[in-house]
Amino acid sequence: DVAFRYPDYRAALRTLAATPAQYTAGAPLTYTITVSNQGPANALSTTIVDAFPGAFTGASWTCAASGGATCAASGSGPVLTEVIALPAGASIVYTVAGEVAAGTTATLTNAAIAVVGAPATDPDTTNNTASIDTAPVAPDDTILANGFDPPA
């Protein structure tokens, strides 16, 4: 018998970050998604999916590839879905800009996933998902701006 073994692919969703760290309803919010391939083999058919929170509106993204990786330069919509090529040692960074809908008060949860395409296998799928919770800025609860003394 002859057994064929495909090389292991190590695509990993490295980070998912939000800027600013806390949001203000009605204001801009940016997510940064970093995906990399630690090798030893190329991952030429990796699907990236990020369904943005419902209160994150007007999403548009750009993609910066390095190390021979390929991705679409930009896109927009409530879901980022893209098949990318990640040679060993390559990485891709998505910068997603949008706005938090006015009146939003709940914590925004965003999760992204990287799925290595067949016939490849990924020996460590535990690092293919990243998520972040972004809370609202705490309201200003100042009652008396000048304390108890009358303004000078």
Side-chain angles (χ1 to χ4, degrees):
D1 289 334
V2 175
F4 291 96
R5 184 172 186 279
Y6 293 100
D8 291 337
Y9 297 81
R10 298 189 187 273
L13 200 85
R14 286 287 164 225
T15 59
L16 176 58
T19 305
Q22 292 182 303
Y23 75 82
T24 299
L29 179 66
T30 301
Y31 289 112
T32 304
I33 305 161
T34 304
V35 185
S36 64
N37 179 4
Q38 298 177 39
N42 297 331
L44 301 179
S45 180
T46 300
T47 302
I48 307 301
V49 179
D50 189 341
F52 306 116
F56 183 68
T57 62
S60 63
W61 59 86
T62 58
C63 182
S66 64
T70 60
C71 59
S74 62
S76 63
V79 180
L80 184 161
T81 302
E82 184 173 17
V83 178
I84 61 172
L86 276 175
S91 65
I92 286 180
V93 177
Y94 290 98
T95 302
V96 186
E99 186 174 288
V100 178
T104 301
T105 58
T107 296
L108 300 180
T109 299
N110 186 21
I113 187 167
V115 180
V116 174
T121 60
D122 187 343
D124 183 8
T125 58
T126 63
N127 64 1
N128 292 1
T129 303
S131 65
I132 188 168
D133 292 330
T134 309
V137 171
D140 182 4
D141 61 356
T142 303
I143 297 172
L144 301 171
N146 295 320
F148 291 104
D149 296 326

